[in-house]
Structures are given as structure tokens and as C-alpha cells.
Amino acid sequence: EGAVMITIPTLELAKIDETEEGESALNQTVVKKSKKQWVINPAGKSWVCLLNEMLQQSLRCAATFEYRELDNAANPYAATVYVNKIEYGTGVAPSKKLAKTRAARQTLEIMIPDFKEKMKDMPDEGTTDPSEDSPELAFFNDIRVEDPRVAELCLKAGLIGPYSVLLCCLQKNYGLLETNVQHEMKPLRNQHHEYTMIVNNRTVSVVCKNKKDGKQLAAQKMLQLLHPNINNWGSLLRLYGNSRNAFNKKKQKEHEVIALQLKNGNPGAVGHHSKAILEKLKKEMHNISEQRRNVVPLGKFHAPPGINTTGLQTDHIDI
């Protein structure tokens, strides 16, 4: 009773270079891949426990958490989840424990898009993300990572393309830049080409009609190698498409104001005031005020009398 069944990939990974220390996706290859039914019984389990249980069954590894303190009075702690040295979910909260829990839940929702829907009856413990996925992201949940239509669909939806996602992934997780990506192109028969992309010791090749298509298809294949546990493009957009999503939300707010102007009469008329527009601006100003109030420092540290804060005798200098 209360159990949920979710299909997850099960992977057997092996190192490419045994001399390299640590577990990095750039130095791992998939030896065996299959699918299994993960039966979740959430009773009495935390989100961190569920995450580690899923990772043990899927990747045979555990998540690592990194903590940092923020200049935010409401949520001074942040926790970030790393799996095979790749950054996934991040949670901010008033305590380290809650930040860790929020990060674990966000990671599960990134790796398994329908996880939020299937686990909606589980107590959220203050971890629910109030923001909902845009229709574009929900659409890409059903699109494979290596689907040849991804680049075209991203362009039509106003989202970043596969090659930009790959560059964001390499810079965010490994500190690599575009100069670390090597490209090769060889002609084939029937006006086709073989496009090869090399990043460190990982190499992928695709057959394409031109360089532009080959670049995007090779980026998709490289991203799939680095994220073998992810099988849909929507999850990668959640990981690496935040900057463009923020831009789209800003443009959406601007369009809302313009729509209100057109709806409430002639915006060019002298002395014209729209109550709807004023209400919209009031709401946005309230949001900005709330953000500024949250980043107010907790306070200043004042050393007790007689304590030298620098460790140096600066009251006088002997020459």
C-alpha cells in the first residue's frame, strides 16, 4: 500500500583510464545498460534516502553533497548534489538539513521527469518547488536526448541548442571551455559527412549533411555519454538551460505589461492611467522589495573589548 513503480535505467560503468583518480563522467563508459522497475515505498523514508536508493539501483553509486553559506537572512544555507562529479539539484533553506532535502528532491525530479506527479501524495517537508515547468520543458520530457529533431525544436521554442547546452555542461562541471572541444569532418558518399567531436578522452562521431547539423548531433551524443542515466532532453534543459529560461520569463513579464496597455485603452493618450497596469507594477515592486529584504546580512560581528581582531599589534610600530 502506498508503493509507486517507476521505470529507471540500470547501468554498469567502467573507467576508461584506470590511472585517473576519482569517478568522473568524462572517464567512464557504459559497459551494460538495461531498464528495471523501481518499486518505491516512501513510508518513513526521506528524500535523501530515496535519492541514494535510486542511485544504488541505477548507477551503483551514492550522491555527494556540497554546502555553502549565503548572504540571505531567510535562507542562509545552500546544498548541491553531485553524482559522478556532475552537478544536479540545488536547495536553499533556513537549515542545512532542509537544504539537503530540497536538493535531493530536485535531483530526483531532474533525473525522472514524472517523479513529481507520481510522488505528489508524499509529505513534502517544505521541499515543494512552487515554480511549475513551462509548456516547452514539459514537451521535451518525451523527446530523447539523441533525437535528430532536438536542435530544430529548441530553435522554434526559443531555447538553447544542444551545442550550447554541452558548453554549459563542460564549463559548469569540469571547467572546460570551447577551446577544449575538438572538431573533425570527413566527406562520405552521397553528399554526407562524418562529424567527429573530441572532449578530453571522449570521442563521438555522427553522420550528417553539413557542419551545422553535425555539430548539434555530436553535442547530443556527447551529452548522452556524460549523462547515461538521463534519457530525455527536458532533464538536460532543467540542468543547463536556466539562464535562457530566466530571459524568457523576463520577456514574458514585458509582454504582459504591453498586453495590459492594449487592453485598457490607448497607451499614448495624455493622462491615461490603467488600474491593471498599476496593480501589475505594484506587484513587481513588492517582489523586488522582498528579494532585497532577504539578502540583508544577518549582522556584524563585534569583537569583545580587549580582543585584537587582526592578530597583529597595530596600536604602535617600533622602527
Side-chain angles (χ1 to χ4, degrees), residues 52-244:
N52 282 321
E53 182 180 324
M54 188 274 290
L55 291 175
Q56 284 294 334
Q57 296 195 40
S58 179
L59 296 173
R60 293 178 174 84
C61 68
T64 57
F65 291 84
E66 184 179 284
Y67 303 94
R68 65 182 188 275
E69 295 186 4
L70 307 175
D71 290 333
N72 189 316
N75 297 299
Y77 299 103
T80 303
V81 176
Y82 289 87
V83 180
N84 287 340
K85 294 188 176 180
I86 290 183
E87 180 181 330
Y88 281 88
T90 297
V92 294
S95 67
K96 282 187 177 181
K97 182 179 180 181
L98 184 55
K100 182 179 181 180
T101 304
R102 288 178 175 175
R105 176 167 184 167
Q106 189 182 98
T107 301
L108 283 167
E109 292 175 355
I110 288 173
M111 291 184 171
I112 310 172
D114 57 347
F115 190 86
K116 180 185 290 187
E117 178 63 25
K118 292 195 174 185
M119 301 296 290
K120 61 184 178 181
D121 295 330
M122 181 176 176
D124 57 58
E125 301 173 357
T127 62
T128 302
D129 185 359
S131 62
E132 293 291 335
D133 285 343
S134 64
E136 293 85 0
L137 283 181
F139 170 77
F140 281 105
N141 289 341
D142 300 320
I143 303 296
R144 294 183 301 108
V145 173
E146 296 186 59
D147 192 306
R149 303 169 297 167
V150 166
E152 181 183 357
L153 291 172
C154 286
L155 182 63
K156 290 181 178 179
L159 301 171
I160 59 176
Y163 186 68
S164 298
V165 172
L166 175 63
L167 292 181
C168 183
C169 167
L170 295 176
Q171 184 176 8
K172 183 178 181 180
N173 297 306
Y174 308 104
L176 301 177
L177 303 175
E178 189 171 8
T179 53
N180 299 107
V181 183
Q182 301 176 31
H183 308 267
E184 296 178 3
M185 193 166 174
K186 297 179 181 179
L188 300 175
R189 293 181 179 180
N190 300 324
Q191 297 183 343
H192 282 73
H193 301 81
E194 181 185 32
Y195 191 97
T196 303
M197 180 179 290
I198 305 169
V199 180
N200 282 11
N201 53 356
R202 305 308 300 268
T203 303
V204 296
S205 297
V206 295
V207 176
C208 58
K209 293 183 178 180
N210 52 60
K211 184 177 180 180
K212 180 181 177 181
D213 292 343
K215 192 176 185 180
Q216 302 296 339
L217 291 171
Q220 291 172 233
K221 196 168 184 179
M222 182 66 73
L223 284 164
Q224 184 66 88
L225 282 180
L226 298 177
H227 307 81
N229 56 309
I230 289 179
N231 57 15
N232 69 92
W233 190 251
S235 293
L236 292 179
L237 286 176
R238 289 180 184 85
L239 273 175
Y240 306 115
N242 291 335
S243 57
R244 188 59 180 264

Side-chain angles (χ1 to χ4, degrees), residues 1-8 37-43 45-47 49-51 53-54 57 108 112 114-116 118-119 122:
E1 186 179 353
V4 179
M5 185 177 294
I6 298 178
T7 303
I8 60 173
Q37 297 294 328
W38 177 34
V39 180
I40 310 173
N41 189 359
K45 294 182 180 179
S46 66
W47 293 103
C49 179
L50 289 175
L51 174 62
E53 182 180 324
M54 188 274 290
Q57 296 195 40
L108 283 167
I112 310 172
D114 57 347
F115 190 86
K116 180 185 290 187
K118 292 195 174 185
M119 301 296 290
M122 181 176 176

